[in-house]
Amino acid sequence: MNSSDMRKLHLGSGKVYLPGWTNVDIFTSCKADEYADVTSLPYDKESFDLIYASHILEHVHRHMVVATLSHWRTILKPGGILRIAVPNFDAIASYYIRGRALDDVMGLLYGGQNYHLNRHTVAFNMETLSRELVRAGFGACSIRWWNWRNTEHAEFDDYSQCYLPHMDKERGFLMSLNLEATK
């Protein structure tokens, strides 16, 4: 299927509005096509070919992660892809252990906390996010890492491209865990 023929959903769009996608955010102060909570989206079953959620799942209450992923899986078409980016706890811990300041990773661990709901309630690494995807109904063999450079949204800088030092995409450390799963 041609990418332009796909129905694509961008969750937690914030400041990154993706043309050709249905952009969803909870805050009406952001440019979006729909304003909704990502844990209870107003879409029919099997509505989308691709769902992209960059640094939004860590804002969902940790006891609601599997239910949220299951909900997202429900609105994916068969063969559809759920593409997720979250702060990578293993990368954060490694960066800190190398002698970096705790302040450097505080936002990745706890969110910006500069407005309502901008806080993280759960941490992920490859093992835990993969486990939650399986619990939500995705097959373990369908889960894989994705490279932001090879996506149709690579030109839009978001947290899937989060590096420390900030914006050093050539020599820095990628702090985002980018996984996708096929329904």
Side-chain angles (χ1 to χ4, degrees), residues 9-158:
L9 181 64
H10 179 207
L11 300 177
S13 56
K15 296 177 184 175
V16 181
Y17 185 90
L18 298 177
W21 294 64
T22 301
N23 294 270
V24 176
D25 205 283
I26 197 167
F27 297 108
T28 57
S29 58
C30 299
K31 179 181 178 184
D33 304 303
E34 182 86 41
Y35 297 98
D37 184 328
V38 298
T39 65
S40 58
L41 295 163
Y43 301 112
D44 293 332
K45 292 179 180 181
E46 300 181 357
S47 294
F48 294 94
D49 299 287
L50 175 61
I51 298 174
Y52 178 47
S54 178
H55 287 243
I56 188 70
L57 188 60
E58 66 275 11
H59 295 268
V60 172
H61 191 282
R62 69 186 179 107
H63 297 296
M64 291 294 299
V65 168
V66 173
T68 300
L69 291 171
S70 295
H71 174 54
W72 296 351
R73 185 181 179 281
T74 300
I75 61 175
L76 268 177
K77 294 178 182 179
I81 294 173
L82 173 60
R83 183 176 295 152
I84 301 176
V86 294
N88 184 342
F89 185 78
D90 289 347
I92 295 165
S94 177
Y95 188 82
Y96 172 72
I97 288 170
R98 292 176 185 210
R100 305 303 205 269
L102 182 58
D103 287 343
D104 292 348
V105 296
M106 199 69 76
L108 290 164
L109 290 170
Y110 302 110
Q113 297 187 11
N114 55 342
Y115 56 85
H116 178 64
L117 298 180
N118 190 11
R119 67 193 179 292
H120 298 175
T121 62
V122 63
F124 297 99
N125 63 10
M126 175 75 110
E127 178 185 345
T128 60
L129 184 53
S130 296
R131 180 188 67 222
E132 301 300 59
L133 286 163
V134 169
R135 286 181 177 165
F138 291 95
C141 62
S142 80
I143 301 167
R144 63 201 159 276
W145 178 81
W146 59 271
N147 185 337
W148 63 266
R149 289 177 170 91
N150 301 328
T151 66
E152 59 278 3
H153 48 81
E155 66 191 77
F156 298 91
D157 190 14
D158 66 11

